[in-house]
Amino acid sequence: MNIFALEIWDDEGKKCTFYTVRWEDGKESETDKFFNKYDAIPELKTATQQMLSFVLDSLGDDHGAIDALFNRPENEVTGLPNTGKVTVKQVMFTYPNFPLRLYALRINNRNDIVVLFNGGVKSSWTNQESKDIHLKWVEACQFAKRIEEALRDGEIIIDEGKRKMRSANNGEEIFL
């Protein structure tokens, strides 16, 4: 796998800090590519805005990355939004036939640090059959494996008090 940066995407939420990945020579993060691409497609604009609200409001501010909202495991990553009807603090989260998937990784299964990757249109029953997202899912799984390996090996350290990650040399820039 080529070199990529692990960088903060949004850290303004009350409950969760979001990271993303960006290829070393890339101008745009994988998460930004996802939101920019699908927000520009008129028939997916509403779904894209719902996904953004789910991430920033429901996960970032209201509930964090709790198990109930991260209930769609897909190998090393989780597909967002959640599957089924989920009620959290009297709010029902249900996304029947939702057209988009965004892939994510909860760091050490914590509720407060998540890496967001890319995703796409879910056009078939499985992501392997969904032409638009299959490669994004494979790529997200590869990113996730490398990030988890770096956490195990001590290349990345979690700053418990700040909901942040940093490189082993105390730098905020993390390249893997």
Side-chain angles (χ1 to χ4, degrees), residues 140-153:
C141 288
Q142 291 172 344
F143 283 130
K145 285 179 189 174
R146 180 64 185 104
I147 292 165
E148 288 178 333
E149 176 186 300
L151 285 161
R152 277 191 308 276
D153 294 347

Side-chain angles (χ1 to χ4, degrees), residues 7 91 100 105 110 135 142 155 162:
E7 55 193 24
V91 176
L100 298 174
L105 171 69
R110 296 168 57 110
L135 290 177
Q142 291 172 344
E155 291 177 72
K162 295 183 180 177

Side-chain angles (χ1 to χ4, degrees), residues 87-100:
T87 303
V88 179
K89 295 183 181 175
Q90 299 179 335
V91 176
M92 183 184 295
F93 294 89
T94 182
Y95 299 91
N97 303 314
F98 196 75
L100 298 174

